[in-house]
Amino acid sequence: MAERREWLVTNGIGGFASGTVAGSLTRRYHGLLIAALKPPLGRTLLVSKLEETVEYREQAVQLSTNHWHGGTVAPTGFLFLERFRLEGTTPVWTFAIADALLEKRIWMEPGENTTYVRFSLIRGTLPVRLNLRAFINHRDYHWTTLNTLPEFSITPITHGLQILPTGGSPFILAASKGSVETVSTWYYNYDLPLERQRGLPDREHHLHIGTWIIDLNPGEEITWMAGTRL
């Protein structure tokens, strides 16, 4: 059920973010930042997804979900999803990890190619450690990245990274606090089952560009963002 339901947020100038409630990518139009680089045109996938691992009480729980070409589903983070709701047009997830409740919400800044993801530890007897793995791309939103992989240069900034695609527009990924480790590893053959139903290419590759490590106390929140405004 969580994979059949989809969410969408927009910025009013042609850009958007979308996905499934389960967190899996099931169509080429799913992504955390699909920017309108020439508003309202030039829709380009810049940030594919943010994958969360929560360390709490000596256990590490992955909250993301992925389909892989060949039939494997891993990880299966949707199993920790206690509730999904909309606050107005803002999608909100609540995950249960032991006795802790972690809330996530996603929205876009009106008039800007900027997506925000906020995490709030609304209940817990101890702090949690968030490991946020960002996956990026650089392609027209109608295409898929397969044989020709885009190239990027990376510059560290405060709590984040500035990304410059070869021949493209720069964008930034940053958190309100925490440390970031630069990575550059392609993950191959994400499965896109809804594209297969349409008779179109049904797999894609995405680049793991960085991992944010953030400690979050009960009652505290942090915001991670991706945007083209430098």
Side-chain angles (χ1 to χ4, degrees), residues 5 24 46 59 61 70:
R5 294 184 175 179
S24 52
L46 298 180
Q59 65 173 326
V61 173

Side-chain angles (χ1 to χ4, degrees), residues 6 16 18 25-32 34 44-45 48 137 139-146 191-196 198-204 206:
E6 299 177 73
F16 64 94
S18 68
L25 307 173
T26 60
R27 63 172 84 237
R28 67 184 63 193
Y29 302 107
H30 287 160
L32 196 55
I34 298 175
T44 303
L45 174 65
S48 311
N137 215 311
R139 61 154 172 87
D140 183 278
Y141 79 130
H142 286 308
W143 301 350
T144 53
T145 295
L146 291 170
D191 190 57
L192 303 173
L194 294 185
E195 298 301 325
R196 185 161 52 252
R198 300 169 63 208
L200 297 172
D202 58 359
R203 62 189 179 93
E204 181 158 33
H206 298 290

Side-chain angles (χ1 to χ4, degrees), residues 200-223:
L200 297 172
D202 58 359
R203 62 189 179 93
E204 181 158 33
H205 314 321
H206 298 290
L207 178 64
H208 176 203
I209 199 66
T211 299
W212 280 255
I213 301 174
I214 303 168
D215 292 325
L216 194 61
N217 294 309
E220 191 178 7
E221 63 184 28
I222 67 95
T223 302

Side-chain angles (χ1 to χ4, degrees), residues 84-218:
F84 175 82
R85 70 187 190 276
L86 291 177
E87 287 191 0
T89 59
T90 301
V92 182
W93 293 256
T94 303
F95 295 96
I97 307 99
D99 64 342
L101 285 180
L102 181 70
E103 186 179 270
K104 178 178 82 168
R105 62 184 60 220
I106 298 176
W107 73 97
M108 294 193 79
E109 184 174 345
E112 298 288 345
N113 288 308
T114 303
T115 301
Y116 295 96
V117 186
R118 178 169 293 165
F119 296 92
S120 305
L121 184 56
I122 59 178
R123 188 182 74 199
T125 54
L126 294 170
V128 302
R129 172 161 288 182
L130 297 178
N131 291 268
L132 307 178
R133 302 164 67 221
F135 289 77
I136 66 171
N137 215 311
H138 190 268
R139 61 154 172 87
D140 183 278
Y141 79 130
H142 286 308
W143 301 350
T144 53
T145 295
L146 291 170
N147 298 322
T148 302
L149 303 180
E151 297 181 353
F152 304 89
S153 61
I154 307 166
T155 302
I157 60 174
T158 302
H159 304 309
L161 303 171
Q162 179 177 316
I163 315 296
L164 178 60
T166 299
S169 300
F171 58 100
I172 61 171
L173 313 175
S176 54
K177 71 170 191 173
S179 62
V180 57
E181 176 187 358
T182 301
V183 187
S184 186
T185 303
W186 282 96
Y187 280 62
Y188 299 98
N189 297 321
Y190 286 84
D191 190 57
L192 303 173
L194 294 185
E195 298 301 325
R196 185 161 52 252
Q197 292 178 16
R198 300 169 63 208
L200 297 172
D202 58 359
R203 62 189 179 93
E204 181 158 33
H205 314 321
H206 298 290
L207 178 64
H208 176 203
I209 199 66
T211 299
W212 280 255
I213 301 174
I214 303 168
D215 292 325
L216 194 61
N217 294 309

